[in-house]
Amino acid sequence: MAMSGSQQHQQITPPQRFTNSPLTPPSTDEKEKEKAFKQASRVIAHFKARELGKGIDHLPWTEFQLVRGEYREIERRLEQDMVLLGYVKHKLRYDYFAETYRLAVRMPLSLHERFCHLVEREIERQLTSIRCESGSAATFAQKVCELRSTSVFFPSISKSKHDPDSSFQHRDAKYPGVIIEVSYSQKRKSLRRLAEDYLLDSNANIQVVVGLDIEYGEPKKGLRKATLSVWRTHIADGQELKVVQEIKDEVFSTLEHCCLFSTSNKYYLQAFRDDQGNPTGHSGLRLQLVDFAPKSLQQGVEAREISITNTQLCQYLADAEDMVKRRKDGVDDLLPPGVRKRQRSETPPEAMTSDTEAWYARQEEKDAERAEQDDLDYRIHESYIY
């Protein structure tokens, strides 16, 4: 016997999962995320622009202030674009400060890269010299590797992630022993935070963070000062691990730089080159060989110093600045008269690999199933309510 519409309605039993909380249309969640995570779309757009090399101010350090959960939302969106995800993972250099939800995208310039390379090369030269000796120092140095900007993660402690300008790591260690960061005006404010993340989140396994602060672009008269900072850890009263600065000379107010000690309202930089581009009386960069590994790997290692003088630092920076100038005004040969360039052949769009195609197919299937289920759940819920 046919049942009336009201009888049919009374016999509808909603699934158990709808008896506790009402549903909303599937699209609402995405709209709410867009409202809550305003910076996520900007970050993704910035990543895409970097990938294409378009529409980007060539700043070496660009920051985005996120909110709780927004970094995970950015990761989720990246997972939906395999090509962009690959670019971000393997090509882009960026930092995420988990404690403050701040994301910074790096774009090293030629001045930055050349100067950092020369500092790295001198450290590596001195390590090579020690490796050629005999004894515990040589054995230790033979296990120290230059890792350049290899990403540093702290999975068991924090979600922070950093791509240092340079790093040196002992083969038997989990983290680099020495980190080098080259900064400009934009990044200068973050140097202290970077040092704290590296040193504290690694539980002091990272021994030293070196900050080299320079100006970018062509050196200008009266604006050629360059400074050096060195951060280490110290256990205060045998109980509290703190970050301390080894070199102290010139004092900057916190209001200007927002880069604080945990125990002070000032932080310090020491100039190795003055405003006119002349070397100062700075002692230069001085590291100990054992700085390149955690304390448990330092036992019995003979003392050796790795040092770069103030004069050397100034020479390296002058070399980098000269290279930048030469790139702008250097020799640029023209083609001989009458020689024309051959027309470029058309390149077909890059075909997706079978693995990529399979991944996209699975994602499309999952999205379709999810949308269908959400729509069915919503219609059943509506029928149950009304």
Side-chain angles (χ1 to χ4, degrees):
M1 185 171 83
M3 290 184 291
S4 66
S6 61
Q7 287 175 314
Q8 285 179 327
H9 177 74
Q10 291 172 356
Q11 291 188 16
I12 293 177
T13 303
Q16 183 64 34
R17 57 192 168 122
F18 298 124
T19 60
N20 295 324
S21 59
L23 289 179
T24 55
S27 59
T28 302
D29 184 51
E30 293 300 322
K31 291 179 180 179
E32 290 301 319
K33 284 183 179 180
E34 285 292 337
K35 292 180 181 178
F37 301 144
K38 295 179 180 179
Q39 291 283 23
S41 296
R42 294 175 184 173
V43 171
I44 295 297
H46 187 87
F47 287 167
K48 289 180 178 179
R50 282 281 172 95
E51 180 188 18
L52 297 172
K54 298 179 179 179
I56 291 293
D57 292 329
H58 294 287
L59 297 177
W61 183 267
T62 304
E63 290 195 356
F64 297 89
Q65 181 59 61
L66 310 182
V67 297
R68 176 188 284 272
E70 195 163 14
Y71 183 66
R72 179 66 194 100
E73 172 64 14
I74 292 170
E75 291 182 318
R76 185 189 71 81
R77 296 188 191 185
L78 285 174
E79 289 166 0
Q80 296 175 351
D81 188 333
M82 288 289 284
V83 175
L84 183 61
L85 177 62
Y87 169 76
V88 171
K89 276 190 172 183
H90 304 298
K91 299 287 187 179
L92 198 66
R93 289 167 59 182
Y94 71 94
D95 296 71
Y96 178 61
F97 300 86
E99 189 172 329
T100 57
Y101 311 120
R102 190 178 293 270
L103 185 143
V105 183
R106 301 176 182 232
M107 189 174 184
L109 305 180
S110 53
L111 172 65
H112 169 289
E113 294 286 78
R114 177 63 179 171
F115 179 53
C116 190
H117 166 71
L118 293 172
V119 172
E120 288 175 328
R121 189 175 68 178
E122 177 58 23
I123 293 174
E124 181 62 26
R125 186 192 68 78
Q126 294 183 42
L127 285 171
T128 299
S129 178
I130 297 173
R131 291 172 189 137
C132 295
E133 300 174 5
S134 59
S136 60
T139 302
F140 181 94
Q142 288 163 9
K143 290 190 173 183
V144 176
C145 308
E146 179 186 346
L147 293 184
R148 299 300 303 268
S149 58
T150 302
S151 298
V152 179
F153 298 91
F154 312 98
S156 61
I157 299 173
S158 165
K159 290 186 177 180
S160 290
K161 175 256 185 191
H162 299 292
D163 290 335
D165 292 316
S166 179
S167 61
F168 290 83
Q169 183 168 337
H170 192 283
R171 288 183 181 275
D172 297 332
K174 182 175 182 179
Y175 296 109
V178 175
I179 295 282
I180 299 175
E181 292 284 2
V182 181
S183 70
Y184 308 107
S185 55
Q186 293 91 350
K187 184 180 171 185
R188 184 179 302 142
K189 300 175 184 179
S190 300
L191 266 178
R192 176 67 194 183
R193 285 181 294 152
L194 275 168
E196 288 179 334
D197 267 23
Y198 285 129
L199 296 169
L200 298 179
D201 286 350
S202 71
N203 288 331
N205 280 277
I206 294 175
Q207 299 291 297
V208 183
V209 176
V210 176
L212 296 163
D213 187 68
I214 62 179
E215 295 299 327
Y216 75 97
E218 290 189 46
K220 299 177 181 178
K221 187 177 180 180
L223 293 173
R224 301 185 66 187
K225 181 184 290 184
T227 64
L228 168 66
S229 306
V230 177
W231 287 277
R232 296 176 182 270
T233 55
H234 171 69
I235 299 179
D237 302 322
Q239 295 181 337
E240 185 178 8
L241 183 67
K242 293 184 177 182
V243 173
V244 296
Q245 198 163 353
E246 190 176 77
I247 296 175
K248 299 180 181 180
D249 181 24
E250 184 169 353
V251 183
F252 294 90
S253 70
T254 60
L255 291 177
E256 180 183 358
H257 288 280
C258 304
C259 225
L260 314 179
F261 279 116
S262 56
T263 58
S264 171
N265 65 347
K266 306 268 186 192
Y267 91 109
Y268 303 81
L269 299 174
Q270 188 169 16
F272 63 84
R273 190 175 79 170
D274 64 22
D275 282 326
Q276 306 308 315
N278 302 313
T280 66
H282 194 295
S283 60
L285 174 61
R286 302 176 68 179
L287 301 170
Q288 298 303 312
L289 178 60
V290 292
D291 286 335
F292 292 83
K295 295 191 183 302
S296 60
L297 296 176
Q298 298 176 6
Q299 304 303 316
V301 178
E302 299 167 296
R304 290 288 188 280
E305 185 176 79
I306 307 290
S307 64
I308 302 179
T309 67
N310 179 55
T311 301
Q312 285 176 298
L313 288 173
C314 289
Q315 288 173 345
Y316 298 159
L317 184 51
D319 177 286
E321 290 170 341
D322 182 64
M323 186 206 68
V324 171
K325 183 179 180 181
R326 288 177 183 274
R327 288 189 68 188
K328 181 179 180 181
D329 304 323
V331 175
D332 180 14
D333 286 345
L334 299 176
L335 289 174
V339 175
R340 294 183 300 175
K341 295 180 183 179
R342 184 175 181 176
Q343 185 176 358
R344 292 179 175 86
S345 58
E346 292 186 8
T347 303
E350 184 178 352
M352 289 191 295
T353 64
S354 58
D355 288 343
T356 304
E357 275 192 294
W359 186 90
Y360 273 116
R362 288 196 300 271
Q363 289 300 115
E364 289 172 358
E365 290 175 4
K366 288 179 182 179
D367 290 343
E369 290 174 2
R370 190 183 301 114
E372 183 179 354
Q373 184 62 48
D374 287 345
D375 186 56
L376 176 61
D377 292 344
Y378 182 69
R379 284 188 281 109
I380 292 175
H381 178 70
E382 290 292 291
S383 176
Y384 173 65
I385 295 272
Y386 299 108

